[in-house]
Amino acid sequence: MFKAKRKTEPVPRIDAIKVGEIDTNGKKIKNVFAKHNEYCIFEVEDDNINNQIRVLIDGYSDESERKIQDRFNRVKQKYIEAKGMLPKCSDIEMMKNRIAHTLSTCLNSEETDGNKAFSDLIESIVIEHDNVVMNRIIYLSPCLYICIILFLLSICFFIKYPDSVYFHFILLILSSSLGGSLSIFINAQKLNFEEFRTKKYYFLIGFERIIVSFISGGIIYIAIRSGIIVPVFSQSAFWGTMMILVISGFSEAFVPSILGKYQKDNEKN
């Protein structure tokens, strides 16, 4: 009876690469991206992000190992360049997988143009990074524009009408916008700027957030004037009232984005 031939087993050093084990450099293995009979691409725990992706090559023979090592050497420079761009990526874990699987493709075949594959990957990283930066700028632009306009208006009214009710009104709006803008800038570090396909949504969401800060400031100001909260500010300390409105601007961070939810629902449908 014909007996099926077993596939070639991985060499012992490659087979020993498993999540939770310690590699030959004494680092704990965190993830295994690609594992073949004569090489393995894996991730270790390391404070330096550029040292987290590791490659181990161990062939059945000197000749087979040399072939794989030669393939690796041909793309080594581009591979290191791609790893060096990891800090620029918004989704670092996803990019680690892309780098590892690009390298795996290069090691598997002599016919693969590894330098072109990595050049394409690096170009896509640069494009994605540029898009993230632009989306962040678009998101932050409404609060910047509004703060600058209100600041210039307050200066004009201070010069011409320093005791005007309109001057005080503009200062109160400026206070809310400053608080909201500070909150928007702080929370922008936590947002994913690859979430939406169209850039206009980032502008609309940024505009939405600053409007929420105005509404929050208006509600707090009414509460102060009505004596419900901190009535002392409404009577003797205009600058104290402004400070309260600055703080109230931070409340925009606690209001969910209606536009963001609307866009996600549309993409699902």
Side-chain angles (χ1 to χ4, degrees), residues 124-168:
S124 71
I125 293 174
V126 171
I127 292 173
E128 289 171 10
H129 177 257
D130 290 345
N131 285 334
V132 168
V133 172
M134 182 56 65
N135 290 339
R136 186 190 300 272
I137 292 173
I138 292 172
Y139 172 74
L140 297 174
S141 61
C143 65
L144 284 173
Y145 291 147
I146 290 175
C147 283
I148 291 172
I149 290 171
L150 289 173
F151 182 73
L152 293 176
L153 282 175
S154 65
I155 292 176
C156 292
F157 273 84
F158 176 74
I159 294 172
K160 293 185 178 181
Y161 314 105
D163 298 324
S164 170
V165 175
Y166 299 108
F167 172 58
H168 290 176

Side-chain angles (χ1 to χ4, degrees), residues 194-253:
E194 295 179 311
E195 191 173 2
F196 304 128
R197 292 192 296 267
T198 53
K199 295 184 181 300
K200 68 178 182 180
Y201 275 97
Y202 291 104
F203 180 85
L204 293 175
I205 291 174
F207 187 74
E208 174 192 54
R209 307 316 294 179
I210 198 69
I211 292 300
V212 170
S213 71
F214 287 156
I215 294 173
S216 299
I219 293 172
I220 295 297
Y221 182 71
I222 292 172
I224 292 174
R225 297 297 294 178
S226 64
I228 295 177
I229 60 172
V230 286
V232 65
F233 288 112
S234 66
Q235 297 172 7
S236 60
F238 179 77
W239 289 101
T241 301
M242 287 182 62
M243 191 62 230
I244 294 295
L245 295 182
V246 169
I247 296 172
S248 73
F250 278 94
S251 63
E252 67 81 25

Side-chain angles (χ1 to χ4, degrees), residues 71-127:
R71 295 171 193 168
F72 176 70
N73 290 337
R74 284 197 291 269
V75 299
K76 186 175 182 180
Q77 192 62 39
K78 288 290 185 181
Y79 162 68
I80 293 174
E81 185 179 345
K83 286 203 302 178
M85 300 188 73
L86 279 172
K88 296 182 178 181
C89 302
S90 57
D91 191 340
I92 293 177
E93 297 305 318
M94 181 271 291
M95 193 54 64
K96 286 179 183 176
N97 276 281
R98 289 177 64 181
I99 292 173
H101 288 292
T102 299
L103 179 60
S104 177
T105 302
C106 297
L107 297 181
N108 277 337
S109 173
E110 290 281 355
E111 299 177 359
T112 302
D113 188 346
N115 284 313
K116 184 180 183 304
F118 271 107
S119 293
D120 292 341
L121 178 60
I122 291 169
E123 184 180 358
S124 71
I125 293 174
V126 171
I127 292 173

Side-chain angles (χ1 to χ4, degrees), residues 250-269:
F250 278 94
S251 63
E252 67 81 25
F254 302 104
V255 180
S257 174
I258 298 172
L259 288 169
K261 184 179 184 301
Y262 173 76
Q263 168 72 351
K264 288 179 182 178
D265 291 341
N266 280 348
E267 290 178 352
K268 289 179 182 179
N269 296 330

